[in-house]
């Protein structure tokens, strides 16, 4: 019997004594049922029961109670950070079976007024089962021939509806402008009006032409998200045509489907986080991005969306920075994933993003921020590049904009969110 | 271009004008971005934009605001049932790509103080892509040789840790007692201490022996949940040994993995709902069971867990009854799935469950309610069977208990939740 354990960290909020609530979680998620049953021996519990490692009380969170919470009269809600160890022998190093143990029915327990899986410590056998990211930061930089500096990308806009021949023009313009990375919108799959095979054909042709002219071939992440056999076939199609990246919406196929693809995949996997909000938005429920991103990285995501500062979604900058740190934190002795900053990203955000992340190991995507540039996408790329160049060299954006008219135009239109000049969000 | 559309129904709560919030959803989930972009023409929008079909204001819900909600001073929160149509040509009849459109980034929108996907109307092309349940109610009844009456089952307890030779004794006793269905706990996967192959061997041997003696072979749902290739191999192992059912935790593998298995599967799929609470528990966020269960049925679940009345989890009886109705409502011209009632189920619940569901097309699982019977699991089965027999024939439970000592014992221990005598829940 191996001594390997998974340690799950939870936010627990309850009207019960904290230790009792912690034991309820450990029981529900291992050997317990609601009444004593035959063959349930102390020896069996000793070997298989999950163990509460620590209960660290926290200040009141102010979170609303989950519906259906048990509360006795006069009881006071308390909150704690609870760590629970699950013997790996209970389920083996399998992502779906891990989820049964550390999540499972937990979110339905009436004893809990709040229950959120915050973090997971995974033992070495997971690394033996799951190879993790194939390219990560270094592999992506090598493919792009960008050994340093921020990686700059965009999303094809409009999100859907663009015929392949118009997509060709968009890609041509972006590639000529020196962008590093282009991706399909997550809403663009393999629809009849713009089949993936047609998109792959026109895009790779344009990238090849750009490479011949400029010496640099941008990476294009084709959204291959689909039912699994189709997703694998989509990957093969992209690879056969000379594509260098595929995008998968992690939650829409599931962690185990991502891991399944990873085993068949020779291209970097750009992991989109669509639907993560259902896990993360309510702080008293769900799965925190820190735990979520570990599962996605384990399953093989080379790139992982974190949102960006001042994004158009609900997350605060502090939450975004925490997600970026999470993705960059070493996992299982080396699994390396590139954080992808997106949503409402404009040149004005570069200095603050660099100041607060202190790294250029970032893939920064500007969709509207590039396509909506007053002088067109090419000027949008120039403006983003100039802004990041200024940010990393410590040059003031206003000074840089004096030298780069495209940057000045972008700042005029999108503003600089950190000096109060921003508009156009919403 | 096909006129097929998906219609998604949402609960929307917002401080914006309701129509504006509805349009924000339709925009984010189809052609929109945060600023005007090149090539975004009225013609493109006309063809590809999602359309708001209706906005039906609801009384205030009392739900807390989602974090990060935009609210202007003096604005009042309003709630509405909003129906939005998405052209199927935007993504095709694919489960993951459907989720990108109807869920996607939606849960992260700051414009929404509440956003929940309530229901989905799926057009016929989904039925062409996904064969749906292979057995459903009728197929399961045929395999069990139970043309009518409630189907009675249990979960192996203790949940984990039982050595195969002890599992053998549990299964023998239950099979002799005439149970219809036995399942692995969702925490029991394929762990080193009790490998699936060993469990399959002892269980099928015992079921065969029971069938030879009693003329009736219970169905055993082996939990095959695992990484996908392993899950498919697990299914083949169960089938090769003469097993008649497999269990899959739908959320832990994902809808598309379930659909992938369905294409390779010859056995009924028992769909467990572990982790559904993360989608359902907070009413102002997530995916309602009605929409969730349609996706699981489409992907091929023959059985689907709904919880039972008076269960030990957070759901009210009204919510459980709504879930049972959802699973029994015809889908795509006939997809038929058997509702599975479980959690805290005891004989005392039979009359109320039958009165309120008005059907015996139910698989009722009692775990602790059978294994925790004072005279052992065999008496537990007898008590459950007697209680359901009384319920469907209109006999009072107390009267029935006079004839069946095992039922009297069960009522003494577990009580009858609807006459105030219940205890033992926890």
């Amino acid at each position: 019997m191996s001594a390997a354990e998974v340690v799950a960290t939870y936010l627990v909020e309850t009207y019960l004594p904290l230790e009792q609530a912690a034991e309820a979680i450990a029981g529900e998620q291992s050997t317990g049922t609601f009444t004593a049953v035959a063959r349930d021996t102390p020896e069996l519990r000793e070997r298989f029961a999950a163990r509460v490692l620590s209960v660290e009380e926290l200040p009141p969170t102010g979170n609303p109670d989950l519906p259906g919470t048990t509360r006795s009269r006069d009881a006071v809600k308390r909150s704690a950070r609870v760590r629970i160890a699950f013997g790996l022998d209970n389920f083996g190093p399998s992502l779906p079976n891990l989820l049964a143990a550390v999540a499972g029915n937990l979110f339905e327990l009436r004893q809990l007024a709040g229950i959120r899986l915050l973090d997971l410590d995974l033992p070495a056998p997971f690394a033996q089962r799951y190879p993790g990211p194939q390219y990560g930061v270094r592999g992506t930089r090598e493919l792009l021939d960008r050994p340093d500096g921020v990686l700059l990308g965009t999303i094809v806009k409009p999100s859907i509806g663009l015929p392949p021949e118009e997509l060709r023009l968009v890609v041509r313009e972006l590639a000529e402008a020196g962008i590093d990375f282009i991706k399909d919108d997550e809403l663009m799959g393999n629809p009849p009006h713009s089949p993936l095979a047609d998109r792959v054909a026109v895009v790779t042709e344009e990238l090849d032409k750009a490479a011949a002219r400029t010496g640099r071939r941008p990476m294009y992440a084709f959204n291959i998200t689909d039912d699994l056999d189709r997703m694998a076939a989509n990957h093969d199609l992209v690879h056969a045509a000379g594509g260098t990246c595929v995008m998968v919406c992690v939650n829409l196929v599931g962690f185990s489907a991502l891991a399944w693809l990873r085993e068949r995949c020779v291209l970097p996997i750009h992991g989109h986080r669509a639907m993560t909000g259902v896990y993360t938005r309510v702080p008293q429920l769900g799965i925190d991005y820190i735990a979520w991103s570990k599962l996605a990285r384990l399953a093989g995501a080379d790139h992982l969306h974190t949102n960006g500062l001042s994004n158009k979604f609900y997350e605060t900058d502090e939450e975004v920075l925490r997600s970026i740190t999470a993705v960059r934190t070493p996992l299982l002795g080396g699994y390396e994933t590139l954080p992808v900053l997106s949503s409402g990203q404009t040149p004005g955000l570069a200095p603050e993003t660099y100041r607060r992340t202190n790294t250029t190991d970032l893939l920064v995507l500007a969709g509207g921020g590039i396509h909506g540039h007053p002088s067109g996408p090419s000027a949008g790329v120039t403006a983003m590049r100039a802004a990041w160049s200024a940010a990393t060299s410590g040059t003031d954006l206003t000074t840089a904009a004096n030298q780069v008219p495209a940057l000045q135009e972008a700042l005029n239109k999108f503003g600089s969110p950190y000096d109060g000049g921003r508009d156009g969000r919403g």
Side-chain angles (χ1 to χ4, degrees), chain A:
Chain A
M1 178 180 162
S2 150
E5 286 182 329
V6 169
V7 177
T9 305
Y10 300 98
L11 169 68
V12 173
E13 310 203 58
T14 184
Y15 291 89
L16 299 175
L18 285 170
E19 284 69 18
Q20 185 180 333
E23 291 295 344
I25 296 173
E28 174 65 29
Q29 298 306 114
S30 63
T31 55
T33 185
F34 71 95
T35 185
V37 297
R39 301 188 174 82
D40 184 6
T41 62
E43 293 71 27
L44 183 145
R45 291 194 174 222
E46 171 66 25
R47 179 165 169 197
F48 295 102
R51 289 180 301 118
V52 177
L53 298 181
S54 63
V55 176
E56 175 201 346
E57 186 160 1
L58 301 171
T61 59
N63 292 333
D65 289 353
L66 293 175
T69 300
T70 308
R71 50 180 302 183
S72 50
R73 202 191 306 257
D74 302 330
V76 172
K77 183 162 80 170
R78 294 162 72 201
S79 303
R81 199 175 161 86
V82 172
R83 295 174 69 242
I84 296 180
F86 299 82
L88 191 60
D89 266 3
N90 287 13
F91 46 88
S94 147
L95 275 170
N97 303 103
L98 168 71
L99 284 173
V102 301
N105 294 332
L106 207 49
F107 305 110
E108 304 205 30
L109 290 183
R110 295 186 303 146
Q111 295 94 322
L112 308 176
I115 174 66
R116 185 172 177 96
L117 175 61
L118 297 176
D119 201 356
L120 283 170
D121 294 333
L122 300 172
F126 279 93
Q128 287 148 27
R129 170 83 69 95
Y130 298 98
Q134 199 167 179
Y135 291 86
V137 179
R138 276 168 290 189
T140 300
R141 284 195 178 283
E142 276 171 27
L143 283 177
L144 286 171
D145 192 23
R146 286 267 187 220
D148 47 42
V150 81
L151 301 171
L152 195 58
T154 190
I155 305 116
V156 171
K157 299 282 175 188
S159 315
I160 54 174
L162 215 53
E165 284 307 316
E166 289 203 45
L167 173 64
R168 176 194 293 281
L169 304 178
V170 174
V171 170
R172 183 181 299 169
E173 183 167 11
L174 292 164
E176 293 278 344
I179 201 151
D180 299 315
F181 180 95
I182 312 171
K183 68 177 270 293
D184 284 332
D185 193 274
E186 76 278 6
L187 294 170
M188 175 57 88
N190 191 9
H193 71 273
S194 186
L196 180 66
D198 296 356
R199 302 209 307 281
V200 168
V202 301
V203 167
T204 52
E205 195 179 312
E206 286 304 319
L207 296 183
D208 287 341
K209 284 186 197 164
R213 280 195 297 268
T214 68
R216 188 175 291 283
R217 192 179 195 277
M219 180 179 273
Y220 190 105
F222 294 97
N223 182 18
I224 64 166
T225 304
D226 206 330
D227 281 316
L228 305 194
D229 291 327
R230 289 167 187 262
M231 179 166 72
N234 289 346
H235 164 272
D236 296 346
L237 186 157
V238 172
H239 179 238
T244 56
C245 190
V246 291
M247 173 169 118
V248 175
C249 295
V250 178
N251 297 313
L252 310 188
V253 299
F255 296 119
S256 59
L258 179 60
W260 178 86
L261 177 72
R262 167 66 181 86
E263 289 190 0
R264 287 151 183 77
C265 190
V266 296
L267 299 176
I269 298 172
H270 184 81
H272 195 279
R273 59 177 249 163
M275 241 177 82
T276 297
V278 86
Y279 299 110
T280 56
R281 185 149 181 195
V282 171
Q284 71 273 26
L285 183 71
I287 300 179
D288 196 89
Y289 187 89
I290 291 179
W292 181 88
S293 60
K294 283 189 176 176
L295 299 173
R297 293 162 72 193
L298 188 67
D302 291 287
H303 310 159
L304 208 50
H305 281 239
T306 59
N307 273 345
L309 292 195
S310 197
N311 66 80
K312 67 177 178 171
F313 295 119
Y314 80 94
E315 284 185 316
T316 63
D317 289 347
E318 288 64 35
E319 289 169 312
V320 170
L321 289 163
R322 220 164 48 88
S323 296
I324 293 169
T325 301
V327 171
R328 301 189 67 233
T329 300
L331 174 66
L332 285 166
Y335 289 10
E336 192 185 66
T337 294
L338 177 65
V340 182
L341 284 63
S342 72
S343 176
Q345 297 302 289
T346 64
L349 290 164
E352 185 72 2
T353 301
Y354 182 63
R355 188 180 74 77
R356 297 182 73 177
T357 60
N358 198 30
T359 183
T360 56
D361 280 345
L362 307 171
L363 173 54
V364 179
L365 305 184
I370 281 180
H371 295 279
H373 191 284
S375 296
S378 176
V381 175
T382 303
M384 282 294 288
R385 184 77 70 197
W388 271 92
S389 173
T392 52
S393 67
T395 310
D396 186 74
L397 269 199
T398 318
T399 310
N402 289 336
Q403 310 296 319
V404 184
L407 177 55
Q408 188 61 61
E409 282 184 288
L411 295 177
N412 291 348
K413 175 161 184 184
F414 302 118
S416 183
Y418 285 92
D419 59 26
R422 186 164 63 104
D423 69 0
R425 288 260 310 276

